[in-house]
Amino acid sequence: MDLTSFVTSLTTSFLIFVVLMLLFTWLSGRPGNKFIYYPNRILKGFDPVEGGYASRNPLSWAHEAFSSTEQDIIAISGVDTAVYFVFLSTVLGILVFSGVLLLPVLLPVAATDKSVKTGNSTTSNNTFNDLDKLAMGNIGEKSHRLWAFLIGTYWVSFVTYYMLWKAYEHVSELRANALESPEVKPEQFAILVRDIPDLPEGQTRKEQIDSYFKSIYPETFYRSMVVTDNKVVNKIYEELEGYKKKLARAEAIYADSKSTSKPEGTRPTNKTGLLGLVGEKVDSIDYYNEKINEIIPKWEAEQKATLREKQQGAAIVFFTSRVTAASAAQSLHAQMVDSWTVIDAPEPRQLIWPNFSLKFFNRQIRQKVVYLIVALTIFFYMIPIGFISAFTTLENLKKLLPFLKSIINQPEIRTILEAYLPQIALIVFLAMLPKFLLFLSKSEGIPSKSHIERAASGKYFYFSVLNVFIGVTVGGTLFTTFKTIQKTPDSAITILANGLPANATFFLTYVALKFFVGYGLELSRIVPLIIFHLKKKYLCKTEAEVKEAWFPGDLSYATKVPGDMLIVTIVLCYSIIAPLIIPFGVAYFGLGWLIQRNQALKVYVPSYESYGRMWPHMQARILASLVLYQLTMFGYFGAKKFPYTVILIPVIVFSLVFAYVCKRKFYRFFQDTALEVAAEELKETPDMEQIFRSYIPPSLRNQKIDDDQFEDALSQVSRRASLV
């Protein structure tokens, strides 16, 4: 990419961001759009805009976001969101402190070197331009100037160690403060028990569980809830809820017709066949009422059958003390690892019930199979991504599709294609992946939504690093140098290392596109706004349907964190090779911190709280990016034939030692709750019945089944069968 294309890409991306920000200012100031721009505040009962819409200016949102405190974030969006901002600010600090030294030192050192001549270096598109003069590719082999870049490599590493250590301490404090809160949280009084042995003769499942835990915790054991197979009852419940929604919709249409047509109104009708398009035509209100009345007895009967006949080898056990629950969750309860497995209970809202009953070795096998599938996916995805990285360069397009040569050679079209084609192709290609990785993580047998998102985030991170960073770099280079490598295979490493600067401007524009256009779309929420108004006008008839149309969901850590991690990897790995990327990284994380803070305070609604459990994974992946950066620099210094390249070996070893020390010192508290934290006093005595009922699945909740009947149903598993 030449300088003209680079400037075009940067300028147009910036202009798009300015337009989107102005659109946001205008659209968010209209009361009719408040559900799109302030849903979190509305759901919490606050006024959408403090001081009224008229008092707002184009930068009011930025001032509000910047002046908010960490406690504001925790109060509105929880600890997990606050930890995400610790991640953003930590990376921002790493890049700012690194850039303070690297930019004023390395840029002049590279720009003033005259040893590399035009046409002899492997740089952007194999041509030498003004951007390449500011990169390490402009330094000659064995040059003493490489010392500055080697010292810079150490500087970035030590800045990263310091920032990560301080961040780990801070997040540990945030987690401790949340867990020792005097507020009663149901999950702090419960544990999840899996791999329960086969039933002894003459006992019910509930009696087996109760007697086991009463003998170990006689003073604090409260009761247990046996996990059941809810597939059938869930299906009936969903069908019932579907008919209730349809009834509410039909009644709303009928009520609306009274005000717009004849006073008695027009009763809505529908056909009973496929998708309401064929079959007998009936009165909708009467038909849906009839279906509801038919399903309710069936649902109630299935509830009782599920509670008595479909019990599984898993349970949720409740204690009257959160210290006991914390202690039980991290204790070994049986001699064998595949019997009476105990972990801390997730929040009621993030339980994955079907995964509770999976046996120990079943889960182990599933995990290994999923890892194999992910590895194969990474490998086979690397082929098309490498092909895309090569195919979307203009020179290769002209070779592969000669008939496009006349179009591509036009200066205006060439500039636009060079500025955007490869980056957009890559972003679109990656958008297809997240749901597949979430499905794979769920298939492992993980019991909670937060854990599934952490697992999917890890898979997505390694996928994006291996396929985007390495795949694009290697793919683009291999395509242009394949014949050379074929003739002299021993030159492959040198050619690939020298090919790193060739992708510097690609990644510069990729990062710019992500933060200008990506964050512009995030702030303006144009797509959700259009979808909401279309649904509201043409589809929504009830308040529940309107709320469903504007409900924003959460921050989606499974995709957001790996996307940010990819930028961390790119910026770190090119921070020495092309120091000009550092300001782009600072802009990405600085702008991201500001915009995402606005979204966290006003838009997104957390779907769970894990009290910062994501942080160790964030920290580990930043360190993984750092090690990749150090290995990249080791290879590139070697390609430059710098005789002192071996000096980088100690810093690689230190990174591994640092990761080990952090894990040994901090990680255990994120895996288990410290007992000194759980021992803090509560401000009120916990209502154990309310805690117990909060874990009952919605499909098993019924006003006709009270607490005692629920308990009784779990206890009365066919004794006759066991006696026979």
Side-chain angles (χ1 to χ4, degrees):
M1 181 184 294
D2 59 25
L3 185 60
T4 303
S5 297
F6 175 74
V7 173
T8 299
S9 174
L10 196 61
T11 304
T12 52
S13 296
F14 175 72
L15 290 175
I16 290 171
F17 174 75
V18 171
V19 170
L20 290 173
M21 189 177 72
L22 293 174
L23 271 175
F24 163 74
T25 304
W26 177 58
L27 293 170
S28 64
R30 300 173 65 86
N33 297 331
K34 64 181 181 181
F35 294 112
I36 296 299
Y37 296 104
Y38 310 100
N40 198 347
R41 291 184 61 82
I42 291 170
L43 289 170
K44 287 184 166 53
F46 303 142
D47 290 332
V49 180
E50 296 179 6
Y53 293 98
S55 65
R56 295 184 64 78
N57 64 63
L59 295 178
S60 291
W61 66 272
H63 177 265
E64 291 165 6
F66 189 78
S67 60
S68 64
T69 66
E70 191 169 64
Q71 290 306 311
D72 293 332
I73 294 293
I74 292 172
I76 295 290
S77 291
V79 177
D80 285 334
T81 306
V83 168
Y84 176 65
F85 286 107
V86 173
F87 159 69
L88 292 179
S89 59
T90 299
V91 176
L92 181 62
I94 291 170
L95 298 180
V96 168
F97 286 123
S98 297
V100 165
L101 179 67
L102 298 185
L103 292 173
V105 173
L106 299 189
L107 292 180
V109 169
T112 56
D113 193 297
K114 306 297 182 183
S115 59
V116 177
K117 303 299 181 183
T118 303
N120 294 331
S121 67
T122 309
T123 52
S124 303
N125 289 340
N126 292 320
T127 61
F128 203 78
N129 59 47
D130 292 335
L131 289 176
D132 297 322
K133 293 177 183 178
L134 301 175
M136 192 174 169
N138 196 37
I139 304 295
E141 294 180 355
K142 302 180 181 180
S143 172
H144 290 296
R145 290 174 180 249
L146 291 172
W147 273 107
F149 293 86
L150 190 144
I151 293 170
T153 304
Y154 265 86
W155 170 250
V156 172
S157 300
F158 285 115
V159 166
T160 304
Y161 302 144
Y162 174 78
M163 295 299 297
L164 287 179
W165 186 270
K166 299 297 290 184
Y168 224 142
E169 289 181 328
H170 180 56
V171 175
S172 295
E173 191 65 27
L174 288 179
R175 178 172 169 82
N177 291 339
L179 292 175
E180 66 186 12
S181 167
E183 301 290 334
V184 174
K185 299 180 177 70
E187 64 274 12
Q188 289 188 300
F189 294 87
I191 58 173
L192 172 59
V193 184
R194 307 166 88 179
D195 307 311
I196 299 174
D198 294 336
L199 275 174
E201 188 174 351
Q203 268 192 333
T204 67
R205 179 67 76 186
K206 183 160 179 54
E207 288 171 343
Q208 177 196 22
I209 296 166
D210 288 357
S211 61
Y212 183 84
F213 283 97
K214 277 180 183 176
S215 66
I216 301 175
Y217 309 99
E219 301 296 327
T220 54
F221 172 78
Y222 176 64
R223 66 198 293 186
S224 64
M225 178 187 294
V226 181
V227 172
T228 53
D229 181 356
N230 300 334
K231 289 180 183 177
V232 177
V233 73
N234 283 345
K235 186 176 180 180
I236 297 172
Y237 175 73
E238 289 169 5
E239 185 181 6
L240 176 61
E241 290 299 302
Y243 279 120
K244 286 181 178 179
K245 288 181 180 179
K246 290 178 180 178
L247 175 61
R249 180 183 176 84
E251 289 175 339
I253 293 172
Y254 179 48
D256 187 58
S257 71
K258 292 180 180 180
S259 60
T260 58
S261 61
K262 49 188 178 180
E264 65 273 18
T266 303
R267 292 178 70 85
T269 60
N270 67 279
K271 293 182 179 180
T272 58
L274 180 67
L275 300 175
L277 301 175
V278 296
E280 181 186 357
K281 193 174 184 179
V282 296
D283 181 287
S284 296
I285 295 176
D286 292 341
Y287 176 73
Y288 294 139
N289 270 314
E290 185 181 323
K291 297 298 290 186
I292 289 170
N293 291 332
E294 285 178 9
I295 292 174
I296 286 177
K298 182 181 175 183
W299 176 46
E300 292 172 350
E302 184 58 37
Q303 282 181 321
K304 294 176 182 177
T306 299
L307 290 170
R308 295 182 178 181
E309 301 169 11
K310 298 182 180 181
Q311 297 181 4
Q312 306 288 300
I316 298 173
V317 175
F318 300 87
F319 299 95
T320 56
S321 164
R322 62 181 184 178
V323 173
T324 305
S327 177
Q330 51 193 286
S331 300
L332 182 67
H333 285 78
Q335 298 175 36
M336 300 299 171
V337 71
D338 61 337
S339 179
W340 295 103
T341 305
V342 176
I343 60 173
D344 55 325
E347 285 180 307
R349 59 181 171 171
Q350 58 166 314
L351 298 173
I352 310 295
W353 291 95
N355 286 349
F356 286 4
S357 58
L358 296 175
K359 293 295 185 181
F360 179 83
F361 289 111
N362 187 341
R363 299 195 300 271
Q364 296 297 308
I365 293 170
R366 282 168 171 257
Q367 188 182 64
K368 301 301 184 291
V369 170
V370 166
Y371 287 171
L372 177 61
I373 293 172
V374 171
L376 292 174
T377 304
I378 290 173
F379 176 77
F380 286 109
Y381 239 63
M382 189 176 288
I383 296 171
I385 283 189
F387 179 74
I388 283 176
S389 69
F391 187 78
T392 52
T393 61
L394 297 190
E395 295 303 319
N396 293 331
L397 272 178
K398 287 191 287 186
K399 291 177 184 177
L400 295 171
L401 304 172
F403 60 89
L404 293 177
K405 187 179 294 186
S406 59
I407 300 174
I408 293 172
N409 285 337
Q410 295 183 26
E412 297 81 5
I413 295 177
R414 181 185 180 88
T415 299
I416 293 171
L417 289 177
E418 276 195 333
Y420 287 113
L421 181 61
Q423 293 83 358
I424 292 174
L426 185 59
I427 290 170
V428 170
F429 205 70
L430 286 175
M432 301 183 291
L433 191 66
K435 287 187 178 180
F436 177 62
L437 296 180
L438 284 168
F439 167 76
L440 286 179
S441 297
K442 186 176 181 180
S443 300
E444 290 182 41
I446 295 171
S448 68
K449 182 180 178 182
S450 61
H451 192 174
I452 284 174
E453 291 210 353
R454 290 198 300 274
S457 174
K459 296 176 179 68
Y460 197 17
F461 167 71
Y462 292 113
F463 179 92
S464 60
V465 168
L466 290 170
N467 280 288
V468 179
F469 176 69
I470 297 178
V472 168
T473 301
V474 174
T477 306
L478 279 177
F479 192 89
T480 55
T481 60
F482 183 75
K483 289 183 178 179
T484 305
I485 294 175
Q486 202 172 27
K487 292 178 182 177
T488 54
D490 57 339
S491 66
I493 295 176
T494 303
I495 290 173
L496 293 177
N498 284 329
L500 285 169
N503 296 284
T505 49
F506 169 85
F507 284 120
L508 281 171
T509 51
Y510 179 80
V511 174
L513 193 66
K514 288 279 286 183
F515 72 74
F516 275 142
V517 180
Y519 281 132
L521 290 171
E522 173 69 51
L523 181 65
S524 64
R525 288 179 61 78
I526 293 293
V527 175
L529 180 71
I530 293 171
I531 292 173
F532 166 67
H533 281 296
L534 288 174
K535 284 184 175 180
K536 185 180 179 182
K537 184 172 182 177
Y538 298 108
L539 300 177
C540 300
K541 299 298 181 182
T542 66
E543 288 298 320
E545 289 177 340
V546 172
K547 181 179 178 180
E548 187 177 338
W550 60 255
F551 193 80
D554 59 19
L555 272 167
S556 186
Y557 299 110
T559 54
K560 195 171 294 295
V561 172
D564 293 337
M565 287 292 182
L566 175 60
I567 303 300
V568 173
T569 306
I570 291 170
V571 177
L572 279 180
C573 288
Y574 278 92
S575 61
I576 302 297
I577 295 172
L580 198 61
I581 202 171
I582 294 176
F584 288 82
V586 169
Y588 178 90
F589 287 100
L591 197 60
W593 184 92
L594 194 64
I595 290 176
Q596 295 293 7
R597 209 166 182 86
N598 177 78
Q599 307 302 79
L601 290 168
K602 299 170 185 174
V603 179
Y604 293 118
V605 179
S607 60
Y608 62 80
E609 177 63 83
S610 68
Y611 308 105
R613 287 284 292 270
M614 179 69 90
W615 172 254
H617 303 270
M618 292 175 171
Q619 193 259 7
R621 283 155 202 157
I622 294 174
L623 278 175
S625 298
L626 182 70
V627 172
L628 180 60
Y629 149 74
Q630 292 164 346
L631 291 172
T632 300
M633 294 313 302
F634 183 82
Y636 193 53
F637 275 109
K640 286 287 186 180
K641 299 179 182 178
F642 188 53
Y644 303 101
T645 300
V646 292
I647 295 177
L648 287 176
I649 293 176
V651 78
I652 299 173
V653 174
F654 190 84
S655 293
L656 300 176
V657 172
F658 180 80
Y660 175 79
V661 171
C662 285
K663 185 171 184 178
R664 298 295 295 176
K665 181 176 176 66
F666 297 109
Y667 181 72
R668 180 68 188 276
F669 178 49
F670 287 81
Q671 187 178 28
D672 301 309
T673 301
L675 299 186
E676 67 176 2
V677 169
E680 292 293 321
E681 291 186 10
L682 296 168
K683 68 178 183 181
E684 60 183 21
T685 303
D687 184 344
M688 295 305 301
E689 291 302 310
Q690 185 176 351
I691 290 173
F692 175 82
R693 293 194 67 80
S694 68
Y695 277 91
I696 299 175
S699 61
L700 295 179
R701 294 176 188 168
N702 193 334
Q703 293 179 352
K704 294 183 179 181
I705 300 181
D706 60 22
D707 234 16
D708 293 334
Q709 287 176 313
F710 188 92
E711 179 89 4
D712 185 57
L714 287 174
S715 301
Q716 293 181 5
V717 179
S718 180
R719 290 178 178 277
R720 294 179 185 175
S722 60
L723 291 172
V724 171

